[in-house]
Amino acid sequence: LSILLPLYSRHHALDVRCPQGETALHLAAESSLEIVQMLLKAGIDPSPRDVFSWTPIICAASAGQLAIIERLLASGSSPAAFTSDGST
């Protein structure tokens, strides 16, 4: 995630996905409110799903990141998100 700030300043794509479908927002949602805010401000989708249907809000909830959950909700992320196995 530390490479995102220089990339953001150079206007590179921030919605690139890893093979499991995670975006930078999925990763940031686990630990960094600052990066979540930067990505959302850049206009990234607040609710992308990975191959297991996890969204960033599920990642944040799994990591106990209440402030990030609140920020994602304020950006339009669904509070009713669920994974491919039905977990919420």
Side-chain angles (χ1 to χ4, degrees):
L1 292 176
S2 62
I3 65 166
L4 286 177
L5 293 175
L7 290 175
Y8 174 66
S9 67
R10 293 185 192 123
H11 305 289
H12 287 267
L14 295 175
D15 58 354
V16 174
R17 293 175 178 262
C18 74
Q20 293 81 24
E22 292 179 311
T23 65
L25 189 57
H26 283 90
L27 300 174
E30 296 175 355
S31 62
S32 178
L33 179 58
E34 178 184 8
I35 294 175
V36 167
Q37 291 173 325
M38 179 203 63
L39 292 168
L40 294 171
K41 184 177 178 181
I44 198 166
D45 177 7
S47 299
R49 291 189 177 271
D50 67 12
V51 297
F52 303 106
S53 294
W54 278 55
T55 61
I57 202 165
I58 295 172
C59 294
S62 177
Q65 296 290 337
L66 182 58
I68 293 174
I69 293 168
E70 291 171 342
R71 181 63 179 95
L72 290 167
L73 289 171
S75 294
S77 190
S78 174
F82 56 90
T83 65
S84 59
D85 70 2
S87 301
T88 57

